[in-house]
Amino acid sequence: MGRQSAFVREDAVRSARDVFWSEGYEGASMASLQRATGLNASSIYHAFGSKRGLFDAAIEDYLERVVRLGLAPLRAPEVAPDALERYFLAARALFADPSGRTRPDGCLLVNTACSGLARDDGIAEAVRAYRAELLAAFTRGAQARRPDQSPQERAQLVETCVALLISALVMTRVDRDAATAALDSALTAIQHQEHTHP
C-alpha cells in the first residue's frame, strides 16, 4: 500500500511537473493539473496541501530528474577532463533538435525566476540553490580540465559558463539560434582557456 501510494505520488508529481514546465505556475489551471495527474482536486489538496505544494514537489522532481541527472558526470567522484565540454555539447545538441523538449519549454526554474512567482522567498531560494549547484558542478569540470589554472581564471570561466547557460535557457523559448549561440560561446570559452595555457 505504501509503495503503491509512493508510486502514484511520483507519477502525479512528474505529470504535474510537465504541465508547470510548459504552462508556468500561473498558467497551469487546476483542471489541466487534474487531467495530467489523473487526480481530482480533493486528492491533490489532500496529497500536496495546495497547488503551490504540488508545484514545490514538481520543482524538486525537476532538480532531481533533469538538472542533477545532466550534471551527474560533473558531480561524480572522478570527473573526466572533457566533462564540462561534453555537458555543453550535449546541451547544444538538445537545444538544436527541433523535436527536443528543451527548446520550446526552456528550464522550469529559469522560467519561474522570470515570472511573478520569483518574488516568493521559497522560489528565490530554489533558484539560488540551482545556480549554486551549477557553479559547483562547473567548477569541478573546469578543475578537471585545467588543474593548473589559477582560481581566479577558473572562477571567471565558471561564471561565464553559468551565465551563458542561463541565457540560453531564457532565449530558447523565443529564439533558438540565440540560445545555441550562447552555448557555442560557452564552448569557445572552455576551449579557448585550453589553448591560452600551454
Side-chain angles (χ1 to χ4, degrees), residues 51-66:
K51 175 184 173 182
R52 174 56 193 277
L54 178 57
F55 182 71
D56 288 343
I59 288 285
E60 188 52 43
D61 183 82
Y62 178 82
L63 280 167
E64 198 59 41
R65 297 179 185 274
V66 178

Side-chain angles (χ1 to χ4, degrees), residues 8-198:
V8 170
R9 180 185 170 89
E10 286 179 18
D11 195 49
V13 168
R14 201 161 311 127
S15 298
R17 179 200 72 191
D18 290 345
V19 174
F20 289 127
W21 196 352
S22 61
E23 299 179 17
Y25 178 78
E26 293 94 344
S29 67
M30 282 303 295
S32 64
L33 290 168
Q34 289 175 68
R35 279 193 302 274
T37 62
L39 301 175
N40 59 35
S42 63
S43 295
I44 289 174
Y45 285 115
H46 177 73
F48 302 99
S50 63
K51 175 184 173 182
R52 174 56 193 277
L54 178 57
F55 182 71
D56 288 343
I59 288 285
E60 188 52 43
D61 183 82
Y62 178 82
L63 280 167
E64 198 59 41
R65 297 179 185 274
V66 178
V67 173
R68 292 172 188 143
L69 191 64
L71 292 175
L74 293 162
R75 294 161 55 105
E78 294 290 330
V79 179
D82 64 344
L84 184 60
E85 184 175 10
R86 282 193 283 114
Y87 176 91
F88 277 92
L89 286 169
R92 195 195 187 287
L94 189 61
F95 277 56
D97 178 4
S99 66
R101 175 62 189 267
T102 301
R103 186 184 65 79
D105 292 337
C107 167
L108 177 57
L109 279 162
V110 171
N111 295 348
T112 304
C114 296
S115 74
L117 203 59
R119 296 184 191 90
D120 179 276
D121 288 343
I123 294 300
E125 181 53 39
V127 172
R128 283 193 293 269
Y130 166 58
R131 184 177 183 279
E133 286 196 45
L134 291 177
L135 283 168
F138 289 1
T139 296
R140 296 192 78 228
Q143 189 164 16
R145 186 178 183 90
R146 292 293 308 184
D148 59 333
Q149 192 176 35
S150 74
Q152 294 81 7
E153 289 174 315
R154 185 178 303 127
Q156 183 176 22
L157 173 65
V158 168
E159 286 285 356
T160 297
C161 287
V162 170
L164 287 166
L165 175 64
I166 291 174
S167 173
L169 290 167
V170 171
M171 291 306 298
T172 191
R173 300 187 82 174
V174 294
D175 187 337
R176 185 174 67 187
D177 291 341
T180 53
L183 297 175
D184 285 340
S185 294
L187 283 163
T188 298
I190 293 164
Q191 293 156 358
H192 176 72
Q193 59 99 32
E194 180 80 17
H195 298 308
T196 55
H197 297 276

